[in-house]
Amino acid sequence: MLQSLWYSDRFRSWIMQIALLGALLGLLYWIAGNTITNLAERGIRTGFDFLAHPARFPISESVVHYTPSDSFLWAFVVGVANTLWLSVITLVLATAGGLFLALAQLAKHPLLSRLAVGYVTLFRNIPLIVQLLFFYGLATSVFPAPRDAFEPLPGVFLSLRGVYAPGLVMGAGGGWVIAASIVLLLVTIWLGNRRFRDVSLVRRIPSFVGIWLVGTVIIGWLADVPLHLESPVLHGLNFRGGMYLSPEFAAIVVGLALYTTAFTGEIIRGGIEAVGKGQWEGGRALGLWDRQIMFRIILPQALRIIVPPMTSQYLSTVKNTTLAVAVGYPELGLVVNTVINQTGQALESIMVMLGVFLTVSLTVSLFMNWFNARIALVER
């Protein structure tokens, strides 16, 4: 029996893997114990008890409610929410901008295609941190005071204090309408994928968005939640009302979106050019216009080539949000720095930051891998 196990490749492989795993866990246990002992000898506190204590520092802006009397744990939640909000907006803008940039590069108009090539050359070869500092300097030094603010569009004002634009204001119960809208979106995607599997994803997305928007309006009407559009109005030395974007947030969104668009545009252009020219010729033989060929034949096939490198670009963009600390936007990195200065518990705060970014990156990877599997060709 023992002799047969000894000569079994599978048994020896399991033994080696268990031994390596045990050695790794032992090494981690030794490092953790050694670190705790050294920190205790130097009088440095360890543990996560501080998370329940009041933070007692302000956060300039947040997408969730926060006051200095809230706990350090809630301050971390605010940092995570700001990071996710920044990541989502940047990814949406960079994806849409990248598609436009790729189509511009492939256009037959010489001026448009060369401008697109120039854009890629300019933004891809300048360090991101330099671009962020440039846009922040632009936002805080070039624009005028609120009284003389630029108004590029009706109701949209650009000033030293930031960007002011019309915004939707919801009355009491608005949070429930938003939650119901998110549930409706998830249900729409789930039912749509089950009932319309044979329809291409490019054609399904506009239908999903339309159903979701109509459903959200109906939910808001049934809930009788007052909803109106509020425009900013100059009152005294500053604007009041409407939607407000701080100079820090505007600089990081513009800088990150423009920088990432240069990369997403190249990824999408490469995917489109990888589709055989015979597909174009086949579409023209069927009497389709170039626009119809692009969106009904070329892009669905190009998605299979675009998605894998786009996943890496999305992950890089999420991690690049940590550079927002350079312009003072309170994303997770800035909140962690402030917590370390307040409590001195750097190890725990860095571990929280590592865990959050690992979780976000793995979630993005899982979603993109699922999407890649959905659009992949299935060979019988």
Side-chain angles (χ1 to χ4, degrees):
M1 178 67 179
L2 291 177
Q3 186 176 8
S4 62
L5 288 176
W6 177 253
Y7 287 106
S8 170
D9 293 339
R10 187 175 182 182
F11 176 76
R12 285 187 296 178
S13 174
W14 272 101
I15 291 295
M16 287 297 296
Q17 291 186 47
I18 291 172
L20 286 174
L21 180 62
L24 178 62
L25 292 176
L27 178 63
L28 293 176
Y29 179 78
W30 176 80
I31 291 175
N34 198 29
T35 303
I36 292 173
T37 302
N38 289 333
L39 290 174
E41 289 177 353
R42 288 164 175 77
I44 300 176
R45 293 179 302 169
T46 57
F48 291 92
D49 298 341
F50 73 98
L51 292 177
H53 299 165
R56 301 188 188 284
F57 65 87
I59 296 178
S60 58
E61 56 185 305
S62 65
V63 295
V64 295
H65 185 263
Y66 171 83
T67 63
S69 60
D70 290 325
S71 64
F72 283 108
L73 178 61
W74 190 248
F76 282 130
V77 172
V78 171
V80 173
N82 285 351
T83 296
L84 293 177
W85 176 237
L86 177 61
S87 300
V88 170
I89 290 182
T90 302
L91 291 179
V92 170
L93 292 177
T95 304
L99 177 61
F100 176 79
L101 187 66
L103 296 178
Q105 287 191 78
L106 298 172
K108 296 176 182 177
H109 194 289
L111 178 60
L112 184 61
S113 62
R114 288 175 184 173
L115 283 175
V117 172
Y119 176 94
V120 173
T121 305
L122 177 66
F123 283 94
R124 196 172 59 174
N125 293 296
I126 298 177
L128 176 57
I129 187 69
V130 177
Q131 295 187 39
L132 296 181
L133 294 175
F134 170 77
F135 286 113
Y136 183 62
L138 200 68
T140 55
S141 61
V142 173
F143 292 126
R147 188 174 298 277
D148 302 317
F150 297 143
E151 189 177 2
L153 296 172
V156 178
F157 299 95
L158 306 177
S159 73
L160 285 172
R161 303 271 177 93
V163 180
Y164 294 85
L168 288 174
V169 178
M170 303 182 74
W176 291 106
V177 174
I178 293 174
S181 175
I182 294 173
V183 172
L184 175 64
L185 177 63
L186 297 176
V187 171
T188 303
I189 294 174
W190 181 68
L191 287 178
N193 286 332
R194 287 179 62 87
R195 297 185 61 85
F196 302 101
R197 290 180 179 175
D198 298 333
V199 181
S200 68
L201 187 65
V202 175
R203 297 180 63 185
R204 271 184 282 167
I205 288 177
S207 303
F208 289 172
V209 173
I211 294 172
W212 173 61
L213 288 176
V214 171
T216 302
V217 171
I218 293 175
I219 291 173
W221 178 70
L222 292 175
D224 196 20
V225 174
L227 176 68
H228 66 277
L229 189 66
E230 185 181 65
S231 298
V233 177
L234 184 63
H235 185 81
L237 299 177
N238 204 356
F239 289 96
R240 291 186 181 178
M243 183 176 64
Y244 168 66
L245 302 179
S246 68
E248 294 79 13
F249 184 73
I252 186 67
V253 166
V254 171
L256 262 180
L258 292 178
Y259 177 80
T260 309
T261 295
F263 291 90
T264 57
E266 285 296 276
I267 292 172
I268 296 173
R269 181 184 64 81
I272 292 174
E273 288 188 329
V275 178
K277 293 183 179 178
Q279 300 296 316
W280 286 94
E281 295 168 355
R284 291 190 182 105
L286 293 173
L288 299 177
W289 300 342
D290 282 355
R291 182 173 59 83
Q292 292 174 315
I293 298 172
M294 173 62 75
F295 287 99
R296 295 188 178 184
I297 298 177
I298 303 300
L299 273 181
Q301 298 181 65
L303 274 178
R304 302 184 182 104
I305 306 167
I306 291 171
V307 169
M310 194 66 89
T311 303
S312 300
Q313 186 57 49
Y314 282 176
L315 293 176
S316 298
T317 303
V318 171
K319 289 178 281 190
N320 283 339
T321 58
T322 55
L323 293 177
V325 69
V327 297
Y329 179 71
E331 47 74 51
L332 181 61
L334 184 60
V335 173
V336 166
N337 287 336
T338 308
V339 171
I340 292 174
N341 290 332
Q342 292 277 339
T343 63
Q345 296 190 267
L347 190 61
E348 295 84 350
S349 301
I350 295 297
M351 286 175 65
V352 170
M353 190 173 177
L354 289 174
V356 168
F357 273 101
L358 181 62
T359 304
V360 173
S361 297
L362 289 177
T363 304
V364 173
S365 296
L366 288 174
F367 174 77
M368 294 300 288
N369 289 337
W370 169 81
F371 182 67
N372 190 35
R374 292 282 300 175
I375 62 175
L377 286 176
V378 179
E379 297 183 359
R380 300 181 184 277

